[in-house]
Every structure is written in structure tokens, then in C-alpha cells.
Amino acid sequence: MKPHKPYLLLSAVASMMLAAFSSGAAAPAQTKESKMDRSAPDIIIPQGLWGTPETHVRDLLELNRRYGFDRYMLVWPGTGWRSAGYPPQSVFADTAQKFKTIRDELARHGIRCGWWLAFTLKSGTSQEWSPVIRHDGTPSPIANCPLDPAYRKRYGEDAALVARIAKPEFIILEDDFSVAAAGRWGCFCPRHLAEFAKRAGKNYSREELVPLLQQETPEALRIRRTWAEVMRDSLVLFAADLRRAVDRESPEIPIGSMQSGKWDSEADATEAVTRALAGPRHTPFCRIHGAFYAGENVPDIPAKLFHALYAKQHVKPPFRFYYEADTYPHNAFYTSGTCMNVLLSSTFSMGYDGATFQAIQQGLDNPGEETAYGKMYASQLPRFRAICAAAGQCRRKGVRIPYAPCLSTNLTGAGPDWIKSVSHFGIPFTTEESAVTFLSGSQDKMFSDAELKALLCKGLILDAAAAGRLQKRGFGEYLGAEVGGPAITGKARFDLGGLEVIREGAFPAIRERRMRRSSVYSPGGNGESLLLTPKDPKCQELTRLVSFQGIELTSGMTWFENGLGGKVAIMGMTVENNNSVSLFNYRRMRIVQELVMDAADEFVMVRNAPRVYVIMNEAVDPAEAGFFGMLTITNLCPDPLESVKLHLPPSWKTFKEIQLLDASGEWVPCRRNATDDGTELLFPLPCAAPAVVRFLR
């Protein structure tokens, strides 16, 4: 057999597997994993296997007594093996016996144990198989190539050995299961290069390929996508071999994944890899990433959780979602229990099934040393249960902020840059289709011409960069205005008194008319102001940029109802790296809210305060749910609020009662006052203390 034959089977194997998964040809059986009560969060606590079985049993029983934790995942092999090389099989057998002793003893107390398989590709190298070859041609000192059949075989045998001896309730694979995490851009070994050549129709050397992967021309992006698919499919092949190896010994054990931070760039590998690990017998389950590492920044929580929302809305069922409640190094020196409460309340409100919760010091000799997370969890559990039960009957609603995993992570300006301003303006958001879409930068590249035209038929709010790109793609007639070059040049860049003024007749409900111009210095970045000129007589100029002397420069924002029936607003500045006072101020917040309402009055919004994060849910079947809408409202600002004023869309104004979720997990009547456009909820809202309300008819 020629040397290249084994790995050239990759594309055929992966294609067949992916086709079966996407078509539903092998529907998962209803295992214990999929039958669990979806109204209660499934919390899994990791614990490293560093001590004796006796110390682990003692410590985990104590944590169960203190906080009620009753499901653990024991973490092994330790990542120290990366420095020593791949361990001998006897190490797996010995540790499996230790695992079994702990599992059996804890089972007597009703406590379940799964296995966090901490080895992935970064499992320590060996002379028996090939390492990952990095983009500079050097071998990885710690990571192995997933296309090497000898490595896949040995890895599967060792995992199956542990499964047979230890019988963990489940296995979940470490989040370093990524070729790009092992070497920038992936693995450039002969096997991967040969598979890529087969798909690309041309042979590329590593020296030719690496420069192309760093370019953003259309041809380079196509090559990058194909390369990413090769990386993804090599992981799928590895996962399928692992599943088959475990099935030969313990087919009853579910295997899940921890989403790698690199999987988006690896052709959106999350669903394909997780389904390969699950196989045909089990419901796929995955821990989705989105946590703070080495600190916390409460105002950034909506942006941090955006990816978790995207995964929940775009991975097809059946599938179980676990949030990455892993704020490394998971203690209150870095991230507070209060912040963790917001993260969990938010993800449960998004419909998550549970969390892998780093609530203890899992790698140290006193796992109970950290108490903030455990105390928070025990106190909030009744509320978490109620949130999960309600959110499981809902669909998320809001303005759309698009995302395309592979493109957004590989292309400059294609990220969800509107997320900070939209969330801090009290506007709920989604990643699915909506009556109003926010586009920025180069996000238009996610869409075909037909898809863009469909967006232009509805509500569309554009930053200057996105509007300029739509103009270049031939959609200028539907925008009503033209975007040009930089608006602030020469000495005008030093004008710190420049303003953006709301035009006469625009936004009559907004009394104040002046904002700082975006070019005024901001330590956090200003974005860029571009020339914006109305071209269609029906295009309305909403604001205008002026100098400190009152000299008019260009339009600041425009509004246009086009011939397709769409309502299009253009903001003359960009939002990428824009933390200017021109973007983040009370006037801009009111303007953007008014534009959303004018485009489609379908969304609940917070009116009286900045930095209030709203998750909006609507019941799929209000009669069955017992309510028609639910809001999770979190004040991201340290200043407490005495009440919360909400704009309600017409469909929500028909409520008869509003209920507030209390500390005991009960829904109680919520005091309120009527306002001109909605309601005022009469309860205090401290910082980082999520309030959950539901609306009944």
C-alpha cells in the first residue's frame, strides 16, 4: 500500500459521517443523558485526580454536604504528561482502578462521576507516531497529528481501557482537541498537505500555503476555508475512531466535547465533532465556551456570552448544551461569585441545559478552599431551576447581530462589533433572523446578494463601513445615501469641540440635541468617521457633524425607506474599536432605540438607564407555558437602579399581570406603574443581580 492511502480516505469518511448526521439518518437513542429533567440545570463539577481515593471521597462528600453538588467529573490524565511524553498503558490501567474506587464509594451516597479526558492532541509526543507540524515547519513538542492512524489507535485503546475498568457515567473530551490550538493555522504534515491538495485540486507546499492563509483576497479566503475543513474533518475522523474504540468495550457510555476556542476557525467544527463523539446511540452534548479568564469585567458579559448564544441558536437538535462556567483560575481573587451568578442566569435564560462548573479548586489539595461559587450556587439554585423551566419553553428574541464562525474569526472586521453598544443600550439581541438587523464592518461577506437584498427589505441599521461595502456591491439605491472617505482630516482632527447635532424635526421626543463628534479623542478608540451624503430626495438626514465654530461638515446619521419596503439607517462612524463618547451616550442610546422602534416595534427595551442587559424570551406555546413573555434584566453598572422603565412593543402591552422570580424560585406579583410607552417595574436593581420577570395575559 502506498504511504498516502490511509489518510486520503479522510474526505470520504468525514463526508459520509457528516451527511448521516445532517440528514438525521442515525437518530440518537434516548439514553440516560437525554432523559434527564430539562427543567433543572445539570451542574457538573470537575475534580482533578491528584490524591488518594480516600481524600477524594472525603472532599467530594463534604462539597455535597455544603452545596448539594452531586455530579462530578474526575479529570485525568494530568497535563503534566505533556512535558514527559505520552504515558505507558499501565498508567491508564492504574488510574482507572483508582477512578473506579472513588466512583463506587460515591455512588453509595447517590453521587455520580464522569470522566474529563484531559488528553487531546496535546498529550505528549512519542516516537511511535507523528507530531503536529507547525506553520514554521517545526514539530510541536507536545501535540500529535490526528491523521496518524497509529496515534488514533493507541488513544482509542487507552480510552476504552479506562472506560471498561472505571465505567464513568460519561466521558467529555478536553477543549484542546483542536489542530489549530496545537499549531497556528493547523498541522502542515505530509498527510494534511496531501488531503488539502486532493480537495483544492493543486499541490501546495507549506511555504506556499502559509502566506495564503494570512491573506484576505477572495481566492485566499476560499483556500483558507478548504484548509479549515481539512482540519475539522481530521478531528471528526479522530472522534469517530475514539467512539468506535469505546463502543467495543462500553457502548453505553456517552461521550461529549468541550468546545475549543479554535473550532470556529476550523470550519465551525463544534457540531460535527460532537456528533461524531456521540455516535448513533447517544444525544450529543457539548460544553460551549464563553467565560472570563484571569479576571472579570461585568459590562463585557453580553459580548462574552454572544458566542454561547450563537451556538445555542445554530446547532441543530437533538443536542445538549452546557455552559463553560470556568473562570480560570476559578477563584474569587479573579472572578466573583456575583459575576458567576450573572453568567449562569444568562445562559440558563438562553436555554442551556447545564454547566461544567469550576466551583472548587480542582487541582489543589483543598478543593473546598474557594467558597464564593459554592455559596452562590446553593443560594441561587431555586431560581436557576425556575429559569431553566421557563426558558426551555421559549424562543429568544431581539435585533439580529450576525455571526459566521469560520468567516468571522478569519476576516478583519467581520466580528459582532455592534454587540457592546446594542447590549448597553438596553436592546435585546439574537443571532437568528429578525425584523431588524445590525451590520458592521465587512459582515456583508457572510451574505449572498440575494440574502443582502432580503435584509434590505426589512429593518437594517448599518455602521459606515458596512454601508460603504453594500454600496460597492451595487445596493446603493436601497441605502438612500452615499458613503465616502474620511470625514475628519487635516487640522480638523484636533478639533476637540466638534459636535454631532440632531437635525430639526428629527426625534422630537429627544429634548437634548448635541453629542460629541466621534473624532473627539477617546482613550478606548474612536472608530472612524466617514463622509455620509444623502442622495435620494426621500433620504432623511438625522444628525449632522459640525466644527466647534458651527461649520457643517457632513451628515452624521441618515434614515431611508427604500423601494423594497425596507427601512435603513446609516451611522456615519464605524463601531469596530469604537469606545467614544459619541457612540456611548444617552442621546445615541435614545436615537438607536427610536430607530429600532421605527423599523419594527417588536422588542422590549430598557429606557431609563445605560448598561442594562436584557434577554428577551417569548413562549413557543403560551397556553402550555402559562405565560407569553419572559425577561432577564441585569444591571451591568455599579450604580443601583431604584426601578426599571421598559418600552413594550404592542404585542406585549396586552399583559394582565407581571410576575417577579423571587429568591425561593417562586413567581410573585411584581409592582409596577404604567408609562407612556410601556411599564415601570418597581423593584431595585443592584449591579450584577439578575432580575427575571414574566408577562401573563
Side-chain angles (χ1 to χ4, degrees):
M1 182 178 290
K2 295 181 181 179
H4 66 281
K5 289 271 185 166
Y7 51 86
L8 285 182
L9 293 174
L10 168 62
S11 60
V13 173
S15 297
M16 287 188 293
M17 289 178 56
L18 292 173
F21 294 143
S22 62
S23 68
Q30 291 299 302
T31 64
K32 179 166 53 179
E33 186 70 23
S34 61
K35 283 185 175 179
M36 295 181 64
D37 180 4
R38 297 179 77 89
S39 68
D42 184 16
I43 304 296
I44 307 173
I45 310 296
Q47 170 58 36
L49 277 177
W50 53 266
T52 66
E54 293 75 21
T55 58
H56 284 304
V57 169
R58 178 200 67 203
D59 291 340
L60 299 184
L61 285 175
E62 175 61 18
L63 291 166
N64 172 259
R65 184 190 67 79
R66 283 193 209 171
Y67 310 124
F69 299 148
D70 62 0
R71 200 174 190 211
Y72 295 93
M73 52 183 178
L74 304 182
V75 186
W76 193 85
T79 50
W81 284 102
R82 294 177 181 179
S83 64
Y86 192 91
Q89 201 158 66
S90 60
V91 174
F92 288 89
D94 292 345
T95 306
Q97 289 292 345
K98 178 179 176 180
F99 191 118
K100 181 179 185 300
T101 301
I102 297 169
R103 186 213 65 193
D104 289 348
E105 183 59 28
L106 290 175
R108 295 177 55 245
H109 300 272
I111 297 173
R112 300 164 292 160
C113 288
W115 177 25
W116 176 346
L117 204 177
F119 266 12
T120 54
L121 305 184
K122 297 179 181 178
S123 52
T125 56
S126 169
Q127 294 297 319
E128 298 178 32
W129 47 75
S130 306
V132 164
I133 302 300
R134 298 179 292 193
H135 71 286
D136 60 1
T138 61
S140 168
I142 61 173
N144 304 297
C145 176
L147 286 190
D148 190 311
Y151 179 54
R152 294 200 309 274
K153 181 175 183 294
R154 174 63 185 278
Y155 189 99
E157 289 172 350
D158 292 339
L161 175 65
V162 175
R164 176 173 60 82
I165 296 172
K167 292 296 180 186
E169 185 194 21
F170 63 88
I171 300 171
I172 190 165
L173 210 60
E174 161 74 29
D175 62 6
D176 265 345
F177 185 41
S178 159
V179 196
R184 187 184 179 193
W185 303 111
C187 178
F188 294 83
C189 72
R191 291 183 171 90
H192 276 101
L193 288 173
E195 178 62 26
F196 176 73
K198 179 181 177 183
R199 299 189 188 194
K202 178 182 176 182
N203 288 312
Y204 287 87
S205 68
R206 176 186 56 80
E207 292 81 1
E208 292 171 323
L209 187 56
V210 170
L212 285 172
L213 296 176
Q214 300 177 63
Q215 298 174 19
E216 295 188 358
T217 64
E219 177 62 20
L221 288 174
R222 282 193 292 272
I223 287 173
R224 190 184 298 182
R225 174 75 193 190
T226 303
W227 179 252
E229 288 170 353
V230 171
M231 298 304 112
R232 178 198 63 198
D233 292 348
S234 66
L235 295 174
V236 170
L237 186 66
F238 189 101
D241 277 3
L242 172 61
R243 177 74 260 179
R244 280 191 289 269
V246 173
D247 278 350
R248 285 191 286 270
E249 300 282 354
S250 305
E252 77 283 359
I253 298 177
I255 307 178
S257 66
M258 293 186 178
Q259 183 185 55
S260 169
K262 296 289 188 178
W263 276 0
D264 283 17
S265 65
E266 290 174 307
D268 193 13
T270 300
E271 185 171 357
V273 172
T274 304
R275 292 196 185 281
L277 289 170
R281 293 182 177 87
H282 301 282
T283 299
F285 67 100
C286 182
R287 185 221 68 180
I288 305 295
H289 74 73
F292 292 108
Y293 265 35
E296 67 182 27
N297 187 349
V298 170
D300 282 348
I301 285 175
K304 183 61 66 175
L305 295 182
F306 179 84
H307 191 270
L309 176 64
Y310 177 86
K312 182 67 178 69
Q313 293 187 316
H314 290 271
V315 174
K316 302 179 185 67
F319 207 92
R320 287 181 63 81
F321 293 88
Y322 291 80
Y323 170 60
E324 176 198 19
D326 174 7
T327 52
Y328 183 82
H330 31 80
N331 65 56
F333 279 96
Y334 296 91
T335 306
S336 63
T338 297
C339 181
M340 182 61 75
N341 177 25
V342 179
L343 295 169
L344 290 175
S345 295
S346 299
T347 49
F348 294 154
S349 295
M350 294 173 187
Y352 268 62
D353 299 286
T356 59
F357 186 18
Q358 293 272 13
I360 63 176
Q361 298 285 44
Q362 57 101 349
L364 302 181
D365 53 2
N366 182 4
E369 182 177 32
E370 173 55 64
T371 62
Y373 297 165
K375 289 177 179 177
M376 179 279 297
Y377 170 79
S379 69
Q380 294 295 320
L381 182 56
R383 296 181 72 257
F384 290 158
R385 289 180 182 274
I387 293 170
C388 285
Q393 302 178 82
C394 294
R395 64 172 67 90
R396 267 43 69 190
K397 186 161 184 175
V399 302
R400 182 187 185 187
I401 300 176
Y403 185 74
C406 194
L407 189 68
S408 294
T409 52
N410 282 312
L411 183 65
T412 303
D417 291 318
W418 273 110
I419 186 64
K420 180 177 179 179
S421 51
V422 165
S423 62
H424 286 200
F425 291 168
I427 303 171
F429 57 88
T430 181
T431 68
E432 297 179 308
E433 286 193 21
S434 173
V436 179
T437 296
F438 282 68
L439 273 185
S440 63
S442 57
Q443 287 188 313
D444 69 289
K445 288 193 174 183
M446 301 177 193
F447 301 99
S448 67
D449 285 355
E451 289 169 331
L452 283 175
K453 196 165 185 178
L455 293 180
L456 287 160
C457 292
K458 298 189 288 186
L460 187 59
I461 298 179
L462 305 164
D463 81 340
R469 290 190 57 83
L470 263 63
Q471 180 179 296
K472 290 179 181 178
R473 287 183 62 171
F475 295 104
E477 66 177 295
Y478 305 117
L479 304 180
E482 183 178 84
V483 177
I488 312 297
T489 59
K491 286 190 175 181
R493 294 180 291 116
F494 304 107
D495 178 2
L496 301 187
L499 297 172
E500 184 173 348
V501 180
I502 299 175
R503 300 293 276 177
E504 188 70 29
F507 308 112
I510 302 177
R511 184 182 64 185
E512 303 84 358
R513 314 302 285 174
R514 290 153 50 109
M515 298 177 285
R516 291 283 190 181
R517 204 168 67 196
S518 62
S519 59
V520 173
Y521 175 69
S522 167
N526 294 71
E528 185 179 15
S529 291
L530 301 181
L531 291 168
L532 179 61
T533 307
K535 288 297 181 181
D536 192 292
K538 296 179 182 178
C539 183
Q540 181 184 358
E541 183 181 73
L542 302 177
T543 67
R544 191 153 186 85
L545 303 190
V546 300
S547 72
F548 82 103
Q549 298 166 309
I551 299 171
E552 296 187 351
L553 303 175
T554 186
S555 298
M557 295 187 79
T558 59
W559 172 260
F560 181 58
E561 297 187 26
N562 61 39
L564 300 173
K567 299 177 179 180
V568 181
I570 301 175
M571 185 173 70
M573 58 179 161
T574 60
V575 293
E576 185 181 15
N577 297 322
N578 189 340
N579 290 291
S580 71
V581 70
S582 182
L583 179 58
F584 292 98
N585 67 72
Y586 292 96
R587 242 81 67 225
R588 188 77 63 185
M589 174 179 169
R590 286 293 304 276
I591 286 172
V592 174
Q593 288 186 350
E594 295 292 329
L595 292 174
V596 169
M597 285 186 278
D598 287 344
D601 194 359
E602 297 184 6
F603 312 104
V604 177
M605 293 183 280
V606 175
R607 298 291 265 173
N608 62 318
R611 290 162 59 178
V612 181
Y613 171 37
V614 183
I615 298 174
M616 180 181 179
N617 279 300
E618 289 188 337
V620 175
D621 185 342
E624 181 180 339
F627 64 93
F628 73 87
M630 182 178 90
L631 303 175
T632 302
I633 307 170
T634 306
N635 180 9
L636 303 178
C637 177
D639 296 330
L641 299 176
E642 295 180 358
S643 64
V644 182
K645 291 182 180 178
L646 300 177
H647 165 78
L648 298 180
S651 61
W652 281 55
K653 288 180 179 177
T654 58
F655 73 87
K656 290 185 177 178
E657 183 181 2
I658 301 176
Q659 295 177 332
L660 174 67
L661 185 62
D662 71 8
S664 68
E666 297 295 324
W667 297 98
V668 300
C670 179
R671 294 174 55 241
R672 65 185 188 275
N673 283 333
T675 62
D676 290 341
D677 68 339
T679 190
E680 181 179 17
L681 304 179
L682 300 177
F683 55 74
L685 193 65
C687 179
V692 184
V693 294
R694 64 182 189 178
F695 287 66
L696 286 68
R697 289 193 177 98

